[in-house]
Amino acid sequence: LKTDASLVRGCSANVWVYPTGDGGRLHFLADSNAAITKGIVALVIAAVQDQPAGEVAALDIAQALAPFDLANQLSSS
């Protein structure tokens, strides 16, 4: 599943996100080659996993991740 089609562009680490599921709810498989990035991807995926597409589109992901204080834990790269 780690293909060019599932590669997330613009990340300093390699990140792959692969959608699966029945169409009614969004479900993703994801991975990264960097441990910290893998953890961040896991947090994002946990916020949207198995939710209806409309709910995911309306989600404020910054607010959902705010308790983790990532802005003060990570560099801009």
Side-chain angles (χ1 to χ4, degrees), residues 2 11 14-15 22 25 32 35 47-48 52 54 56-57 59 64-65 67 69 71:
K2 294 179 181 178
C11 293
N14 289 331
V15 176
D22 63 11
R25 295 185 177 272
S32 175
V48 301
V56 172
L59 178 67
L65 297 178
D69 195 29

Side-chain angles (χ1 to χ4, degrees), residues 10-76:
C11 293
S12 58
N14 289 331
V15 176
W16 298 270
V17 177
Y18 185 82
T20 66
D22 63 11
R25 295 185 177 272
L26 299 177
H27 188 86
F28 301 94
L29 303 174
D31 197 11
S32 175
N33 66 334
I36 296 293
T37 305
K38 189 180 291 199
I40 295 168
V41 169
L43 291 173
V44 173
I45 295 295
V48 301
Q49 196 73 291
D50 298 323
Q51 300 297 317
E55 288 183 27
V56 172
L59 178 67
D60 181 347
I61 195 68
Q63 180 181 347
L65 297 178
F68 301 103
D69 195 29
L70 295 175
N72 290 318
Q73 306 301 321
L74 303 169
S75 69
S76 61

